[in-house]
């Protein structure tokens, strides 16, 4: 038997724009997924068929990365599904980690690359931000060109992403989950279509790239007020890309009364908001009063880990 554990993620700035090669900033969080793999006589996941849509990332990972006989997977996750917190990336990375471990290796950069391919196959157009953050843990800055603190670069078609280790201060975030699960693939495809049709939308994608770099500088300077204002601007820009939802607007308005700033996080269309705050209790209560499910998460340095 072998097992691996991988974290979920929060995108602080730059989702969607990162698919076009703009900068984005994310962090791994203290919610994790574990995957156990052992070789008995038939393919199973949690005692059920691997063909169930629930296990499509596990199945795609096994199809790409396992050449021997059938496996029995057991999965456990603390990351709510479809909430923008990287549950699919974490299960993909943890599955590939368990498979490599069964085969006697544990090559994290190779797993990050393979996980991006799995996500691309299952979800369609994507960037490696979710899968690489889950594999590496900690703060991650994605840029097109490699710079200092480079972890790895990943290319697809004519696009290239360079994933960098990025040190962030210890931060507390309150997540407000709408409970509306919106698949990422169609949201990403919708943005591509709007960008190709409308030059104004293309310029919003570039604005998000600039907001990301300003947001990173603000966080690293400890200027949380400036970082919060930039999160608010990033939220409005994401609305202008067409990935908002009235519930997300309601939650960010409620959260902003007690936080530095708030924005949707992940693909949008539902999913969650993230608020940067030093008053987590009041922020969480405000989100709950607005009809959301709120919980506090912290950034976590731990990426993919072998657990058995
Ligand atoms: C989803 O967590 C992040 C998106 O930018 C998609 C991607 O980068 O693959 C919306």
């Amino acid at each position: 038997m072998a097992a691996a554990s991988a974290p979920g993620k929060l995108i602080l700035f730059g989702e969607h724009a990162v698919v076009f090669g703009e900068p984005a900033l994310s962090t791994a969080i203290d919610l994790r997924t574990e995957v156990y793999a052992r070789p008995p006589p038939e393919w199973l996941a949690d005692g059920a068929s691997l063909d169930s849509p629930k296990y499509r990332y596990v199945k795609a990972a096994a199809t790409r990365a396992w050449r021997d006989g059938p496996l029995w997977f057991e999965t456990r996750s603390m990351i709510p599904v479809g909430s923008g917190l990287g549950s699919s990336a974490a299960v993909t990375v943890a599955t590939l980690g368990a498979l490599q471990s069964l085969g006697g290796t544990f090559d994290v950069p190779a797993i990050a690359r393979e996980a991006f391919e799995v996500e691309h196959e299952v979800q369609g157009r994507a960037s490696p931000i979710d899968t690489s953050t889950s594999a590496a843990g900690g703060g991650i800055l994605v840029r097109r060109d490699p710079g200092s603190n480079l972890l790895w670069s990943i290319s697809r078609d004519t696009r290239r992403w360079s994933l960098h280790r990025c040190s962030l201060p210890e931060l507390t975030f309150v997540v407000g989950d709408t409970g509306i699960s919106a698949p990422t693939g169609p949201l990403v495809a919708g943005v591509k279509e709007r960008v190709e049709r409308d030059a104004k939308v293309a310029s919003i994608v570039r604005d998000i790239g600039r907001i990301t770099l300003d947001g990173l500088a603000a966080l690293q300077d400890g200027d949380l007020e400036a970082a919060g204002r930039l999160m608010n601007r990033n939220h409005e820009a994401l609305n202008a890309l067409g990935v908002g939802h009235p519930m997300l607007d309601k939650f960010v308005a409620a959260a902003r009364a007690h936080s530095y700033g708030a924005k949707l996080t992940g693909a949008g269309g539902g999913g969650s908001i993230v608020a940067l705050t030093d008053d987590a209790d009041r922020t969480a209560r405000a989100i709950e009063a607005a009809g959301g499910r709120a919980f506090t998460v912290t950034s976590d340095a731990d990426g993919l880990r072998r657990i058995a």
Side-chain angles (χ1 to χ4, degrees):
M1 206 246 314
S5 150
K9 62 86 191 50
L10 263 183
I11 299 185
L12 306 181
F13 294 101
E15 49 273 270
H16 284 289
V18 68
V19 180
F20 296 85
E22 292 295 330
L25 181 66
S26 61
T27 178
I29 54 173
D30 57 343
L31 297 176
R32 302 184 68 88
T33 296
E34 295 177 355
V35 175
Y36 295 76
R38 62 186 306 184
E42 59 179 322
W43 288 105
L44 285 176
D46 299 331
S49 166
L50 201 58
D51 292 325
S52 151
K54 194 174 159 196
Y55 298 109
R56 57 196 192 281
Y57 288 92
V58 177
K59 184 176 176 188
T63 307
R64 288 188 75 90
W66 188 249
R67 296 276 164 266
D68 294 338
L71 292 172
W72 177 16
F73 293 101
E74 192 71 33
T75 68
R76 290 188 199 162
S77 186
M78 298 156 74
I79 310 167
V81 173
S83 62
L85 301 182
S87 63
S88 344
V91 80
T92 303
V93 168
T95 303
L96 292 169
L99 292 174
Q100 273 219 2
S101 196
L102 260 188
T105 51
F106 205 71
D107 178 344
V108 175
I111 290 170
R113 289 200 171 82
E114 191 87 63
F116 170 60
E117 291 302 323
V118 169
E119 196 167 69
H120 211 281
E121 184 184 315
V122 178
Q123 166 191 304
R125 194 175 151 84
S127 84
I129 190 168
D130 292 6
T131 39
S132 281
T133 304
S134 183
I140 297 291
L141 174 66
V142 189
R143 304 202 66 162
R144 190 177 285 128
D145 296 327
S148 51
N149 301 318
L150 178 72
L151 287 168
W152 47 74
S153 291
I154 294 182
S155 302
R156 184 160 185 112
D157 314 322
T158 54
R159 292 171 298 158
R160 177 181 61 179
W161 298 269
S162 299
L163 289 295
H164 302 83
R165 164 69 59 229
C166 170
S167 67
L168 292 172
E170 207 159 283
L171 299 165
T172 300
F173 300 100
V174 175
V175 171
D177 188 353
T178 60
I180 302 166
S181 168
T184 302
L187 286 157
V188 170
V191 173
K192 178 171 187 276
E193 207 247 308
R194 283 187 281 279
V195 164
E196 282 167 357
R197 202 165 12 102
D198 186 345
K200 278 205 284 292
V201 179
S203 86
I204 293 166
V205 166
R206 291 191 294 275
D207 287 346
I208 293 177
R210 285 189 286 272
I211 290 172
T212 296
L213 295 180
D214 291 348
L216 171 63
L219 287 174
Q220 289 185 327
D221 287 351
D223 187 348
L224 300 190
E225 288 187 357
R229 281 195 299 274
L230 288 157
M231 286 172 77
N232 295 345
R233 274 182 55 201
N234 194 163
H235 181 77
E236 307 322 325
L238 286 161
N239 271 340
L241 291 186
V243 298
H245 188 281
M247 289 263 272
L248 295 168
D249 288 339
K250 197 170 165 198
F251 294 0
V252 292
R256 281 174 190 167
H258 307 288
S259 59
Y260 296 104
K263 61 180 273 291
L264 74 82
T265 186
S272 302
I273 66 139
V274 55
L276 175 63
T277 182
D278 45 26
D279 191 347
D281 287 347
R282 285 214 291 173
T283 305
R285 280 203 300 276
I287 292 168
E288 275 160 8
R293 195 162 60 96
F295 47 95
T296 302
V297 297
T298 53
S299 34
D300 199 330
D302 242 6
L304 174 65
R305 258 197 286 123
R306 203 185 328 221
I307 52 174

